[in-house]
Amino acid sequence: MESCKKSIDFFGAQELYWGAKGGICMIGIIITGVLCVVCLILSVILLSGNGAWLIAGYNTAPYEEKEKYDDEKMSRATGVLMLFAAVLVAGLGAAGYFVETGKMQEKFVLLPAAVFILLLFAGIVILSVYINKKCKK
């Protein structure tokens, strides 16, 4: 089977791609899939209520500050955001797959990417408000 010989220059470094005989080069989709699986694994850890050590800022907070928050509630809320991020990353991966297979034009990927960024920032803002209002003891 002939491999895809397409390469691009990415900031001076050659990045090689591989694919089927038709030339479909899906390394970006593979990376997106791995990122999605990592987000899913982290969300399971956080949703179980045992992942407070994964939350930035809480891990290094002084003991007095940690006592003000319910770690299990905060961990679960962060797990919901990670699950949401996994779904968003999967959506971007699907858009990338459609572009690679020719089912969608590359110029139409901007809309899913913009929606991804807006929804992720909205989720972070909602999570911050929720933690400050509902996760305090």
Side-chain angles (χ1 to χ4, degrees):
M1 185 178 280
E2 185 181 319
S3 66
C4 181
K5 306 230 185 231
K6 183 169 73 169
S7 68
I8 62 168
D9 189 18
F10 186 69
F11 295 111
Q14 287 289 325
E15 191 170 335
L16 298 174
Y17 292 88
W18 62 90
K21 188 174 182 181
I24 300 172
C25 302
M26 298 197 201
I27 189 72
I29 298 165
I30 293 169
I31 292 170
T32 306
V34 169
L35 182 62
C36 182
V37 169
V38 168
C39 285
L40 285 173
I41 291 169
L42 291 175
S43 70
V44 167
I45 292 170
L46 288 163
L47 285 171
S48 70
N50 299 320
W53 53 276
L54 288 170
I55 301 172
Y58 183 76
N59 189 23
T60 58
Y63 180 75
E64 298 82 30
E65 191 69 25
K66 286 183 181 181
E67 284 297 312
K68 295 178 184 177
Y69 294 94
D70 183 359
D71 358 350
E72 194 170 316
K73 250 188 192 178
M74 193 166 50
S75 181
R76 287 189 176 148
T78 308
V80 169
L81 179 67
M82 285 301 296
L83 188 60
F84 184 61
V87 170
L88 290 176
V89 168
L92 279 182
Y97 174 77
F98 291 142
V99 167
E100 290 293 333
T101 57
K103 296 178 182 173
M104 186 166 98
Q105 292 180 0
E106 194 170 346
K107 63 183 177 183
F108 295 123
V109 175
L110 182 59
L111 181 62
V115 169
F116 170 82
I117 292 169
L118 289 174
L119 288 176
L120 193 59
F121 279 127
I124 291 170
V125 168
I126 291 169
L127 177 70
S128 298
V129 170
Y130 179 80
I131 286 176
N132 284 324
K133 299 286 182 186
K134 302 286 183 179
C135 293
K136 287 195 175 183
K137 289 183 180 177

